[in-house]
């Protein structure tokens, strides 16, 4: 069973601060996805990264896939209260299903 | 598009009771999944299906059963509810391009077993 470790598990910051969330594994993934989940809802896909070293930007969010395709990071610039939520990474090993990390609970205080 | 629809949204069961969590999707996705999410935890895969008539166990299948008679529907059955099954259950679906388009999740069923 592949294991995805996310850090930190909890993060509470002030509006306007920057932050980085990490997702690490000993397994190689064919692709890696990031989801955000808000209370009472299911996770929603933010981005998929496929190529080692790939960087994708989504407004204030920057996603990076490690060169060896074993790890990824999510960087948020100038965080806003609307960024509050549970951030989940999920890896695909070309099987039929994704393996999810435990998540990072982000709280951005106004 | 409705996407993935789960019913009911909330349910309280007594120990030993049975119930079926319903999941339907209107995106013609081949792949469907059932996850459970415990407080402060990520998602654990219960069962999944790669197409009608095909199901397979995930990480935590004990105490659950599934069927996939149509592409659209993927119900999850709890036969003898136990307190350990108190959780939020999410159904998800994906196309063969899941690496590109990801999973589409329902809004969940919050189940409490007392």
């Amino acid at each position: 069973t592949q294991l995805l470790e996310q850090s930190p598990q909890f993060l509470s910051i002030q509006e306007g601060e920057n932050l980085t969330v990490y997702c690490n594994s000993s397994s190689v993934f064919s692709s890696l996805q990031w989801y955000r989940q808000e209370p009472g809802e299911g996770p929603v896909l933010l981005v998929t990264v496929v190529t080692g070293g790939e960087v994708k930007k989504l407004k204030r969010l920057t996603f990076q896939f490690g060169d060896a395709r074993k790890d990824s990071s999510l960087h948020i610039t100038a965080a806003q209260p609307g960024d509050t939520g549970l951030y989940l990474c999920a890896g695909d090993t070309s099987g039929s299903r994704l393996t999810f990390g435990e998540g990072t609970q982000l709280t951005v205080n106004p | 598009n409705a996407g993935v629809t789960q019913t009911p949204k909330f349910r309280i069961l007594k120990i030993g009771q049975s119930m079926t969590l319903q999941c339907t999707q209107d995106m013609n996705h081949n792949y469907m999944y059932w996850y459970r999410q415990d407080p402060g935890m990520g998602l654990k895969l219960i069962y999944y299906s790669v197409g009608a008539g095909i199901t397979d166990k995930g990480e935590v299948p004990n105490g659950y059963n599934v069927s996939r008679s149509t592409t659209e529907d993927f119900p999850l059955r709890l036969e003898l509810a136990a307190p350990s099954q108190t959780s939020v259950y999410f159904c998800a679906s994906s196309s063969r391009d899941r690496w590109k388009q990801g999973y589409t999740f329902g809004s969940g069923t919050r189940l409490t077993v007392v």
Side-chain angles (χ1 to χ4, degrees):
Chain A
T1 302
Q2 295 81 26
L3 181 64
L4 274 169
E5 296 183 351
Q6 287 189 238
S7 61
Q9 188 176 1
F10 299 96
L11 190 56
S12 181
I13 62 172
Q14 293 301 120
E15 182 175 2
E17 293 183 359
N18 302 331
L19 67 113
T20 301
V21 175
Y22 299 93
C23 176
N24 296 293
S25 176
S26 58
S27 300
V28 175
F29 293 102
S30 57
S31 67
L32 194 139
Q33 300 178 348
W34 285 92
Y35 292 78
R36 181 169 71 203
Q37 184 180 18
E38 298 187 16
E41 298 295 328
V44 175
L45 179 69
L46 294 174
V47 77
T48 299
V49 285
V50 179
T51 306
E54 182 177 4
V55 177
K56 281 192 174 179
K57 291 192 174 184
L58 186 66
K59 296 183 180 178
R60 295 175 293 100
L61 279 61
T62 301
F63 304 86
Q64 185 161 8
F65 202 13
D67 291 339
R69 291 186 288 137
K70 292 183 178 181
D71 55 86
S72 181
S73 64
L74 159 59
H75 182 79
I76 300 179
T77 303
Q80 298 177 1
D83 295 326
T84 293
L86 179 68
Y87 289 81
L88 295 158
C89 66
D92 189 337
T93 57
S94 298
S96 303
R97 63 264 181 90
L98 294 175
T99 298
F100 281 84
E102 299 291 321
T104 293
Q105 182 62 53
L106 172 65
T107 302
V108 182
N109 302 298
Chain B
N1 277 346
V4 177
T5 301
Q6 290 185 239
T7 57
K9 289 191 181 300
F10 304 93
R11 184 73 185 267
I12 298 174
L13 277 183
K14 293 185 179 179
I15 294 172
Q17 286 185 322
S18 301
M19 78 165 293
T20 299
L21 283 67
Q22 301 292 345
C23 175
T24 187
Q25 53 94 6
D26 62 359
M27 297 170 285
N28 201 33
H29 283 169
N30 292 96
Y31 297 82
M32 296 188 75
Y33 314 84
W34 274 105
Y35 287 89
R36 60 176 287 173
Q37 186 176 39
D38 298 324
M41 305 291 284
L43 298 165
K44 298 215 181 293
L45 183 65
I46 305 171
Y47 272 95
Y48 67 101
S49 169
V50 300
I54 306 169
T55 63
D56 209 343
K57 296 178 180 178
E59 303 170 73
V60 290
N62 292 341
Y64 307 94
N65 276 300
V66 293
S67 60
R68 184 96 182 270
S69 56
T70 67
T71 299
E72 295 78 20
D73 300 306
F74 191 40
L76 178 71
R77 178 85 177 159
L78 282 70
E79 290 295 348
L80 291 170
S84 61
Q85 293 177 305
T86 293
S87 190
V88 182
Y89 291 83
F90 288 99
C91 178
S93 71
S94 69
S95 66
R96 287 194 175 88
D97 288 337
R98 66 187 181 282
W99 62 271
K100 191 176 180 180
Q101 299 183 18
Y103 287 14
T104 300
F105 284 86
S107 57
T109 294
R110 185 175 296 274
L111 175 67
T112 302
V113 182
V114 296

